[in-house]
Amino acid sequence: MDGSTPVTNDALGRLTALLAPEMQATNQAILARMESPVALIPQLAAHLVAAGGKRLRPLLTLATAKLCGYEGERQISLAACVEFIHTATLLHDDVVDESTLRRGFASANAVFGNKASVLVGDFLFARAFQLMVEDGSLEVLRILCSASATIAEGEVLQLTTQNDLSTTEEKYFEVIRGKTAALFAAACEVGGVIADCPAEQCSALHRFGMDLGMAFQLVDDALDYSAVQAELGKTVGDDFREGKLTYPVLVAIAAAQGEEQAFWMRTIEQGEQTEADLPAALELIRKYDATARTIARAEQFIDSACAALDGFPESEMRTALIDVARYTTARRF
Amino acid sequence: MDGSTPVTNDALGRLTALLAPEMQATNQAILARMESPVALIPQLAAHLVAAGGKRLRPLLTLATAKLCGYEGERQISLAACVEFIHTATLLHDDVVDESTLRRGFASANAVFGNKASVLVGDFLFARAFQLMVEDGSLEVLRILCSASATIAEGEVLQLTTQNDLSTTEEKYFEVIRGKTAALFAAACEVGGVIADCPAEQCSALHRFGMDLGMAFQLVDDALDYSAVQAELGKTVGDDFREGKLTYPVLVAIAAAQGEEQAFWMRTIEQGEQTEADLPAALELIRKYDATARTIARAEQFIDSACAALDGFPESEMRTALIDVARYTTARRF
């Protein structure tokens, strides 16, 4: 902790306010570029846009571009592109996870069916790549294509670790590095690249995004065992029901004694669950302080993320980014 | 029909033989670039590679590059890239169509689950874009990104026309132009682009691929109502069961009299089918000569495809490409 900046719940709001014109232009670009003569595509995409979300990833591209003194307009369509990649993975996640709630709204696949979610996700991926091609930088293309492949690898790896009690902490970190942190890292690095920053600064932005993404996912995984559904905007216990080996569960499993080991074996490894099992799992998570230990691990990543910005001169934008990072472990929704 | 070249069943075999070294290099590139530290990815991808397929699309890239006198090696990785895009759409199609057979093997999702099919498909898409970025041509990227978006649009459009008896022939052509012909067109155009062909020759190759793809899909749709499963390598009647408004059905519906209209209304529009309905549908298809009329429509596209190659000087490769095009409407598998 550098302790120099107060961490308030409004950190994200302040960053968004600093970037209000760029964010508005990005939202317009998102709406304009999800258009298609095939009506179901903007319909389904608009369903996700209406659900809103924090637009954290495009915000990172806008913020890092500004941090690096970039004065052009390329960050707008690239931020839209980052959001399209994110939205596409959400659409495919909804199919994959059989989740019925996403951001508190009925998930797209519950309303439109699995088929449409897969195909509209594919469209958004392709449209994202079209936006990059229009931008014309092979370096930006390299960064975001590589991130897209890494995301898919992380998601597949998560699939293969699901229900596998022997999953290590190292493997878990590999999963979230792919499925979440890689896009945060790419979103941040792109801001530096279009500003023609030196390589070491681009690497530092990559590192900032990567660590921030790791922390973000750790907190997300903690919230799935702690927040109430209304706060979270999604069903609590999703990860438990799907037998995902997330950090809080890894903590509780490592500490499990006697009967508890059999409990995790039955509910996670064999996937045999009754209605009484989620409360029992939440009790074990509480018993071993697994949520707090997850947040503590996230804070280590945030320290590392903030340190990555040391090489950038003091500025309003640097302070706002550090505040947002610090706020990550304080968020409750 | 130009009648100058004999159409034999071996047309595809001869084109493949002419491009044997390039095809072997492409197969090696495909195997090498589907590698990932996440073991399930090459496992699942290898499942599709084992299933084989004709590799028609990458073959088109190799052939058009050679037709245009290209002597470098860029066509190899771009052909692999075209096959990755195709394989990704197959994986996502398997999820979408709930088909249980693909190329005569159990479909990937029947063996590995829907989740893995979606995510490994995403990986292959991303890997395809990485291959293009390595190639470094923004023009190639533009062509293949645009084709990818068009494929997704075609697939979504197909979804919205499913079970809709009011689907027009025009709408059907829009669907297959997107879901099939766009990638054929892109695969052919790319060969001309890397050979630095003049724009009008690249357009001609695009047109050749587009018309060939239209014919290919028409024949595919005809075969779904005519070939036996063993010949086709996939379940006959898939399209009927899924309520797809393909060309043969459009022909039979347009000609339907009295009771027949109620039959299509019940089986396609309402999706209420019994075991006796597929034989009844096949009978109506036969009654109105719908398969032959579909093949005849495909032949018009082939005539147009072959005409697109008029501007290229006589060569072994041009003859082989025309033969393959002519062979399209003769194939029975």
Side-chain angles (χ1 to χ4, degrees), chain A residues 126 130, chain B residues 129 140-151 153 182 186:
Chain A
Q130 284 185 296
Chain B
F129 291 119
V140 167
L141 273 157
R142 189 193 59 71
I143 292 167
L144 284 165
C145 287
S146 162
S148 299
T150 304
I151 292 168
E153 286 181 314

Side-chain angles (χ1 to χ4, degrees), chain B residues 185-265:
Chain B
C188 290
E189 188 176 359
V190 162
V193 167
I194 60 172
D196 279 328
C197 270
E200 64 269 29
Q201 285 205 324
C202 291
S203 294
L205 292 172
H206 181 93
R207 158 93 177 284
F208 171 77
M210 188 68 86
D211 287 332
L212 179 63
M214 297 296 283
F216 185 88
Q217 188 59 55
L218 277 159
V219 172
D220 219 46
D221 291 346
L223 290 177
D224 200 58
Y225 283 96
S226 69
V228 293
Q229 179 170 340
E231 272 184 321
L232 185 58
K234 62 186 243 187
T235 322
V236 174
D238 268 351
D239 294 343
F240 177 68
R241 272 183 291 269
E242 291 164 21
K244 281 189 190 163
L245 277 298
T246 61
Y247 200 86
V249 170
L250 291 178
V251 168
I253 290 172
Q257 300 169 343
E259 287 293 296
E260 295 171 11
Q261 287 178 326
F263 172 82
W264 295 115
M265 183 62 79

